[in-house]
Amino acid sequence: QVQLVESGGGLVQAGGSLRLSCAASGIIFSINAMGWYRQAPGKQRELVAIITSGGSTNYADSVKGRFTISRDNAKNTVYLQMNSLKPEDTAVYYCYASARLFSGSLGDYWGQGTQVTVSS
């Protein structure tokens, strides 16, 4: 399978910034899209941002103007720059990838999650 490893989470004060990284590894033919989801305790997992191999992006309304997603296709790595963080951004952030294997199969893959905590 494809493995996704996140890094960059931590504890920050409101108004601060964090940068999350996610590297995909494995026998991958291509990655169609990579992105970030998050899940707070007692809440459903929600899309934060996603970026395609062509560079198209989509953001949740709650993070527009504050978060920026980017991708290094050569490294199969996606980044999430998070600025002006708010306490409501506190959640476990999960990396996501849609990847095609050499077998031709296309599947969804998830990282283990990284905790982001924003204090007041």
Side-chain angles (χ1 to χ4, degrees):
Q1 277 197 352
V2 176
Q3 291 80 47
L4 304 177
V5 180
E6 305 104 327
S7 62
L11 173 64
V12 297
Q13 296 182 18
S17 298
L18 284 173
R19 191 191 193 203
L20 305 183
S21 299
C22 174
S25 63
I27 304 175
I28 305 169
F29 179 74
S30 64
I31 296 179
N32 290 341
M34 297 186 73
W36 296 90
Y37 288 71
R38 67 186 182 187
Q39 186 169 21
K43 298 183 179 180
Q44 294 185 341
R45 187 174 299 185
E46 64 176 352
L47 173 69
V48 178
I50 193 165
I51 185 169
T52 69
S53 60
S56 298
T57 59
N58 191 31
Y59 296 90
D61 289 341
S62 59
V63 307
K64 287 181 179 177
R66 299 188 298 120
F67 292 9
T68 302
I69 190 169
S70 61
R71 180 179 176 182
D72 186 336
N73 289 339
K75 298 180 179 179
N76 288 334
T77 300
V78 66
Y79 306 93
L80 185 67
Q81 180 65 46
M82 304 186 294
N83 298 326
S84 302
L85 283 163
K86 305 175 181 179
E88 50 262 43
D89 295 319
T90 296
V92 177
Y93 284 69
Y94 296 91
C95 181
Y96 161 84
S98 174
R100 185 174 297 279
L101 308 182
F102 282 99
S103 65
S105 63
L106 180 66
D108 297 332
Y109 299 90
W110 297 91
Q112 80 286 350
T114 184
Q115 177 70 47
V116 172
T117 302
V118 184
S119 65
S120 300

